[in-house]
Amino acid sequence: MAGEKTGRTAVVPFQQFVLKVHSRCNLACTYCYIYAGPDHSWRTRPPTVPAATVRQTALRIAEHARTHRLREARIDLHGGEPLLTGPGPLLEQAAAIRAALPADCTADFGVQTNGTLLTRDMIDTLAAAGFRLGLSLDGGTPGLNRRRIDHAGRSSWPAVSRAVRLLHDRPDVFAGILCTIDITADPAAVYGSLRAMDPPMVDFLLPHANWSSPPPAPLGPAGRTPYGDWLCTVFDLWWDGSPGPRVRVFTEILGLLLGRPSSSEAVGLSPVVALVVDTDGAIEQVDSLKSTYEGAAATGLDVFHHTFDEALAHPGMAARRSGREGLGAQCRGCALVEVCGGGNYAHRYRAEAGGFANPSVYCADLERLIRHIAARLDATVALN
């Protein structure tokens, strides 16, 4: 990982730059924390990012790359729904960033999409420009995607299923699937239907929730660890089955148990290396913080007046980059802290007590999953 020393402290630069290219979405998913959550800043921002903002962002990325001698940068063009602009602006944005970067720094471009607007021609165009495409969906059947609807209440599944078929034929472009857990859905059905799509990667996401806005409870008698139990069922299917997709949360936990650093904010203590630039040029922390309260992701900085090194020093960024020292006392004293890392930062929020200095609202679920994976790993090692 690129970095340099300032005194005795290692400075870990940003390496992932999320550029919001469209601040609106053509879907109205019932669980969306952006458009149905407490932060309404999207309402006051330009629907599409102006070219001048892209050019200035490109200069800031290049400046950061030169300062920290980055050899590669990950650029995610995001939304809202980024494909609402069509492919043309995305190609122009990528070209502007590539032109600004130092010659010895390469850029990897990705687009996270709901898939409803994808066509074969669009995939071919983006692939030729070096893009990889990730899909957001909740499973591989219409019923599992019942929460992913448009503004008229119509299912997005017909369009998304077409996108899945198109991407299946383009493994060079298909980055994988992000799936937010629906605790009411059968985990075996969800995993089996996603596996049948043959994606290279699946990332199961805990719903963005916190102590002041708890996660959805399962129907019927609630267990102590419903989300942990759900994920343990999927883990066993994945671990015991024939080769399938990489499941990020599982490979991250396995790596941490084996002493490797994490590359996800969901687990582990590795410093966060991503920042967001919104359509108005505002420099923000990750979007998940918008699930906590109005303005939680804001830094007061923007690409026209501030460098990304100034963003590194922002107290909010620093709090999420301070490892064990940034955790509350309960987490610091936990035997699983090196693996769990306190969980997702946004999931620790409690309005009336300590802000983010709390365990994750999914603390028990994470412990259940980590101990289960550790036990399965130990048993496998013992057999060999």
Side-chain angles (χ1 to χ4, degrees):
M1 179 178 291
E4 61 183 50
K5 295 281 186 177
T6 301
R8 296 169 55 190
T9 303
V11 176
V12 179
F14 294 117
Q15 297 167 57
Q16 179 184 1
F17 305 90
V18 180
L19 176 57
K20 296 294 191 77
V21 299
H22 208 295
S23 64
R24 306 295 190 267
C25 188
N26 59 330
L27 294 187
C29 301
T30 59
Y31 57 92
C32 182
Y33 63 94
I34 295 292
Y35 302 108
D39 189 295
H40 304 108
S41 57
W42 62 272
R43 296 180 183 273
T44 62
R45 289 183 162 135
T48 57
V49 61
T53 302
V54 175
R55 289 193 296 270
Q56 183 61 27
T57 302
L59 294 175
R60 291 301 187 196
I61 295 172
E63 176 184 56
H64 202 67
R66 283 191 295 271
T67 299
H68 298 280
R69 302 198 265 299
L70 298 183
R71 292 293 173 262
E72 60 182 10
R74 175 177 165 183
I75 316 294
D76 290 315
L77 303 185
H78 231 270
E81 172 48 49
L83 296 184
L84 281 169
T85 68
L90 303 183
L91 301 184
E92 294 170 3
Q93 291 150 9
I97 293 170
R98 286 193 172 108
L101 283 175
D104 58 353
C105 181
T106 60
D108 295 323
F109 284 89
V111 171
Q112 189 67 32
T113 174
N114 60 38
T116 58
L117 302 174
L118 272 179
T119 64
R120 190 178 303 278
D121 287 346
M122 188 181 294
I123 292 173
D124 290 344
T125 298
L126 292 173
F131 280 87
R132 301 196 73 212
L133 303 175
L135 278 180
S136 298
L137 70 163
D138 295 345
T141 68
L144 292 173
N145 284 276
R146 65 188 181 277
R147 303 179 300 166
R148 300 186 65 80
I149 55 178
D150 68 13
H151 292 272
R154 296 169 299 200
S155 171
S156 65
W157 177 250
V160 175
S161 60
R162 181 187 67 244
V164 169
R165 291 192 298 271
L166 292 172
L167 285 172
H168 181 269
D169 297 333
R170 296 297 304 269
D172 58 316
V173 181
F174 196 6
I177 293 171
L178 296 185
C179 176
T180 298
I181 295 170
D182 178 358
I183 199 65
T184 68
D186 175 19
V190 173
Y191 176 67
S193 65
L194 292 176
R195 187 175 184 273
M197 296 176 172
D198 197 27
M201 185 275 292
V202 175
D203 199 359
F204 289 108
L205 308 177
L206 292 165
H208 285 314
N210 54 72
W211 294 103
S212 296
S213 182
L219 298 176
R224 179 174 173 266
T225 57
Y227 290 87
D229 296 343
W230 197 99
L231 283 166
C232 285
T233 297
V234 176
F235 178 83
D236 287 341
L237 292 168
W238 178 76
W239 187 256
D240 296 330
S242 56
R246 173 180 173 243
V247 178
R248 189 180 185 193
V249 65
F250 300 155
T251 57
E252 288 285 339
I253 291 173
L254 285 164
L256 286 160
L257 288 168
L258 294 170
R260 298 175 183 170
S262 60
S263 61
S264 166
E265 192 178 3
V267 289
L269 292 170
S270 296
V272 174
V273 294
L275 91 168
V276 177
V277 178
D278 220 309
T279 57
D280 60 353
I283 299 171
E284 297 208 321
Q285 302 181 69
V286 292
D287 274 353
S288 58
L289 287 172
K290 295 182 179 181
S291 65
T292 59
Y293 61 89
E294 179 85 44
T299 65
L301 309 177
D302 66 74
V303 294
F304 297 101
H305 303 98
H306 305 93
T307 68
F308 289 157
D309 271 26
E310 288 177 271
L312 280 175
H314 183 272
M317 294 285 191
R320 293 168 47 248
R321 296 166 62 85
S322 54
R324 185 193 292 257
E325 295 306 310
L327 300 175
Q330 182 177 335
C331 290
R332 291 198 303 272
C334 178
L336 300 181
V337 64
E338 296 291 335
V339 179
C340 173
N344 188 297
Y345 190 78
H347 299 170
R348 307 173 202 168
Y349 180 70
R350 190 192 295 265
E352 68 277 12
F356 295 95
N358 301 289
S360 168
V361 72
Y362 295 106
C363 176
D365 298 279
L366 290 168
E367 179 177 359
R368 164 86 168 97
L369 177 62
I370 292 167
R371 291 192 182 280
H372 180 78
I373 292 176
R376 294 299 312 269
L377 180 61
D378 284 346
T380 300
V381 171
L383 288 173
N384 292 283

